[in-house]
Amino acid sequence: WLIIDVHPPLFNILLWGWNHLVPYPHEVWLRVFPFLFTVCSLAVSYFLFPKAYGKTARFLFLGCVAVMWHNIIFGAYARSYVLLLLVSIVITLVSLRILDCFKNTRPGTRQDYMWLFGAGVVAAWTHYFGLLLFSVCVFLLFLAALHFKQKKTVLVVGSGVVFLLAGIWLVPNFLH
C-alpha cells in the first residue's frame, strides 16, 4: 500500500499535502515548506532545552542551531533532511531532559516520554538515520536507567511501539 522507495515516505506525504494546501506554481512556495521546519527547529531548541543547563547554555545552543550549515542549506531544499534535523534536535534534547530526571532519582516526565516516542516515530518515517539516532538515545537512556535504578518499562514499551510503527514501512520495502 506504500510506494516502494529508498527513503521513508513521511516528508513526501507532508510535501504533497503542502502542495495541495498552497497550490501556487512558483518554486518559492515549495521552498517555504522546508524553511518552516528550520524555524521550528529554532523554537524546539529554545523550549525543549533542559533547564538544568542554564540560560547561557540554552542561548548558545540556540545560536549554534541558528547558524548551523545544515539548517540553513537544507532549509532551502525540498528534501527530508531538514525534518530529520528537527526531530534529531527533539530526540537529543528530550533524552537529556530524561537523563537529568534519572540523575535526580526521578522518573522521566510523561510529557518528555511522549515527545521522545513521537519524535521517534517521525524520525523513523523520515529517514533511516533518524531511527538510528532514536535507537542509540533509547539504548543510552536504558543504560542510564539501569545505572540510576529507574524503571525501564516505559522505555521498553515505548521504543517497541516506535519500532513496530517503523516496521510498517521498513519490512515491506526490505522484502521487495
Side-chain angles (χ1 to χ4, degrees):
W1 58 279
L2 292 172
I3 298 171
I4 303 301
D5 188 10
V6 177
H7 299 291
L10 181 62
F11 185 80
N12 291 332
I13 292 169
L14 294 174
L15 188 61
W16 178 85
W18 173 260
N19 284 336
H20 285 78
L21 182 68
V22 184
Y24 301 110
H26 200 275
E27 183 181 344
V28 171
W29 291 106
L30 184 67
R31 293 180 186 261
V32 167
F33 182 66
F35 177 73
L36 295 175
F37 290 119
T38 299
V39 173
C40 287
S41 70
L42 294 174
V44 160
S45 297
Y46 180 80
F47 289 111
L48 290 182
F49 192 83
K51 292 181 183 7
Y53 296 110
K55 286 186 179 181
T56 303
R58 176 187 303 226
F59 286 112
L60 269 171
F61 183 76
L62 182 62
C64 288
V65 170
V67 299
M68 188 176 5
W69 180 82
H70 290 87
N71 213 6
I72 295 168
I73 296 299
F74 291 133
Y77 296 138
R79 302 278 303 185
S80 65
Y81 304 121
V82 73
L83 177 57
L84 177 64
L85 180 63
L86 171 62
V87 294
S88 298
I89 290 170
V90 171
I91 290 170
T92 304
L93 292 179
V94 171
S95 295
L96 286 173
R97 288 165 59 132
I98 294 170
L99 182 62
D100 284 340
C101 288
F102 287 174
K103 283 198 273 186
N104 294 321
T105 64
R106 294 186 329 248
T109 66
R110 181 178 295 160
Q111 181 182 7
D112 284 342
Y113 281 120
M114 295 302 287
W115 274 105
L116 178 66
F117 299 133
V121 171
V122 172
W125 277 74
T126 300
H127 202 281
Y128 297 117
F129 289 120
L131 184 59
L132 178 64
L133 174 70
F134 173 78
S135 302
V136 168
C137 286
V138 167
F139 178 72
L140 293 174
L141 284 173
F142 185 81
L143 291 178
L146 284 173
H147 177 74
F148 293 110
K149 297 176 179 51
Q150 295 290 323
K151 291 183 181 178
K152 295 156 274 310
T153 309
V154 175
L155 281 172
V156 171
V157 171
S159 58
V161 170
V162 170
F163 291 129
L164 182 67
L165 292 173
I168 292 171
W169 182 84
L170 288 172
V171 171
N173 278 288
F174 280 131
L175 292 177
H176 186 265

